[in-house]
Amino acid sequence: SQQGEEDPQALSIQEGENATMNCSYKTSINNLQWYRQNSGRGLVHLILIRSNEREKHSGRLRVTLDTSKKSSSLLITASRAADTASYFCAPLRAGFQKLVFGTGTRLLVSP
Amino acid sequence: SQTIHQWPATLVQPVGSPLSLECTVEGTSNPNLYWYRQAAGRGLQLLFYSVGIGQISSEVPQNLSASRPQDRQFILSSKKLLLSDSGFYLCAWSVAGVVYNEQFFGPGTRLTVL
């Protein structure tokens, strides 16, 4: 299975702190994507990192990818209460057209 | 710009009743389409995906079915709902033939089976 597994399952921090979430997967991938889901809403695509990339930035987001360890991390810097959501990683296997999501990391950012 | 619609937003149905959830995409042609289910506090489970009209791939054996009668319309159905069918149903689309396959999600339908 190419399912990503996020760790930790839940994370609680204060505003201004950094939040780090990790993802591990099992197969060779074409890319790995991170999504955010606010409670009761659909998922929103955050960032995509290709298998030949090691690090990518988007605003306050920083994603790393280590294909040798089959792992990725998502760092949210200077977190805000509005970052409270569930975060999912989704690895995409080369040649496949479907993503398989894990159970996510629930992030709570307190004011 | 592209938009994706799902309806209804919420639905309460008795066990054994039929189900029809609809998803439509605007602003793109020949998208890949997906149905996911999310149980309370859980991750997403891919139910069906489609790469074209009439082409449906089923990921999980169950009492649900999907159809794609038109290019940008994706329907999830059941003849008889089970209690275990309760959950949050999400439709998504992605650009066909593109390697990177970013997915765009609809607002979801919350289904409660009583």
Side-chain angles (χ1 to χ4, degrees), chain A residues 31 48-56 64-67:
Chain A
N31 67 67
L48 180 154
I49 186 165
R50 304 173 190 176
S51 60
N52 61 352
E53 297 177 314
R54 292 297 168 259
E55 187 171 312
K56 199 164 185 180
T64 61
L65 179 65
D66 187 335
T67 54

Side-chain angles (χ1 to χ4, degrees), chain A residues 19-89:
Chain A
T20 300
M21 289 158 268
N22 302 297
C23 171
S24 60
Y25 57 92
K26 299 178 181 177
T27 65
S28 297
I29 60 171
N30 176 288
N31 67 67
L32 187 142
Q33 302 174 32
W34 285 90
Y35 289 78
R36 182 186 73 220
Q37 183 182 33
N38 291 89
S39 180
R41 309 292 294 275
L43 276 71
V44 174
H45 181 266
L46 292 176
I47 195 166
L48 180 154
I49 186 165
R50 304 173 190 176
S51 60
N52 61 352
E53 297 177 314
R54 292 297 168 259
E55 187 171 312
K56 199 164 185 180
H57 297 256
S58 177
R60 293 184 295 112
L61 304 180
R62 173 178 168 254
V63 169
T64 61
L65 179 65
D66 187 335
T67 54
S68 65
K69 296 181 178 179
K70 292 185 169 56
S71 67
S72 174
S73 67
L74 171 66
L75 169 67
I76 304 175
T77 60
S79 63
R80 305 166 182 169
D83 295 327
T84 294
S86 291
Y87 292 81
F88 297 87
C89 73

Side-chain angles (χ1 to χ4, degrees), chain B residues 7-96:
Chain B
W7 65 90
T10 60
L11 191 59
V12 180
Q13 292 285 96
V15 170
S17 64
L19 173 73
S20 180
L21 303 181
E22 189 163 343
C23 170
T24 59
V25 181
E26 297 177 354
T28 188
S29 296
N30 193 32
N32 295 326
L33 295 171
Y34 310 83
W35 276 113
Y36 293 88
R37 177 171 61 199
Q38 186 178 32
R42 304 293 296 278
L44 274 72
Q45 179 186 35
L46 179 63
L47 302 175
F48 302 94
Y49 71 97
S50 171
V51 298
I53 295 175
Q55 300 179 61
I56 309 294
S57 295
S58 175
E59 292 295 301
V60 182
Q62 60 217 328
N63 68 318
L64 299 173
S65 62
S67 62
R68 185 172 178 172
Q70 299 180 44
D71 181 42
R72 291 169 289 177
Q73 183 184 31
F74 206 22
I75 296 172
L76 183 69
S77 303
S78 174
K79 292 181 180 178
K80 289 185 178 182
L81 284 169
L82 306 173
L83 286 174
S84 58
D85 290 324
S86 292
F88 191 47
Y89 288 81
L90 289 162
C91 180
W93 73 273
S94 67
V95 176

